[in-house]
Amino acid sequence: MLEIFSKMKNRFHVNSRLSAIAVLGFLSVMLAACSSSATNESWPGLALKGDTGYLAHNHFVSAVNLATGQKAWQYPDKADTKLLFYGDPLLDSKGDLVAAAYNGSVFKLDPATGALKWKHDGDGSKILAPLVEGPDGSYYASSDSGDLLILDSAAGTLKAKIHLGKAVAWGAMAADAQRL
């Protein structure tokens, strides 16, 4: 019997280091899965202008100096669990920063200070993709109800809601000088 095992061992050579690494890797993955560390609840969105990056992620919109890595500001000051930012913030043609939260809220912020210019509370439908600025200067957003929302850029009021059907668009819209 030992002779058979010895022949099989030589025939099916297994590197003991490789086995040890595989076992350690498996145990590491299992232990990491059992940990209770904080998790991300959203996908980060990013807009860039000059040496500043604007990040919309989890419960905040932040401005970060790209040269130093220092956070210049964040909105809101404290986490609001009702807010989750999924899409890229929009730097519009007037230089303002606009970010849409998953709960349907839209925020227009001063990109230099993070001060709130206006807030649109939404109608309860979720905004699924980044906002775009249309040819008319309005902000456009797709919602989980199958509606295209059109917001006035000056006041944040809902100008129109166009029902597009049962299809829900998770992707970002594109716009040029004439159309969406």
Side-chain angles (χ1 to χ4, degrees), residues 21-46:
I21 291 171
V23 169
L24 287 174
F26 175 75
L27 290 174
S28 297
V29 169
M30 293 305 291
L31 289 172
C34 296
S35 70
S36 62
S37 63
T39 59
N40 289 331
E41 298 176 14
S42 73
W43 301 295
L46 180 66

Side-chain angles (χ1 to χ4, degrees), residues 16-103:
S16 61
R17 266 193 193 156
L18 183 60
S19 297
I21 291 171
V23 169
L24 287 174
F26 175 75
L27 290 174
S28 297
V29 169
M30 293 305 291
L31 289 172
C34 296
S35 70
S36 62
S37 63
T39 59
N40 289 331
E41 298 176 14
S42 73
W43 301 295
L46 180 66
L48 300 171
K49 183 174 183 184
D51 64 349
T52 304
Y54 300 96
L55 182 70
H57 186 233
N58 282 340
H59 309 293
F60 300 101
V61 177
S62 306
V64 177
N65 182 305
L66 299 176
T68 65
Q70 296 295 315
K71 187 186 298 184
W73 55 260
Q74 84 177 12
Y75 180 87
D77 292 328
K78 295 182 181 184
D80 180 348
T81 58
K82 295 176 190 164
L83 297 179
L84 281 176
F85 294 96
Y86 278 89
D88 296 338
L90 168 69
L91 283 163
D92 70 11
S93 61
K94 296 177 186 81
D96 289 316
L97 182 70
V98 187
Y102 187 60
N103 72 351

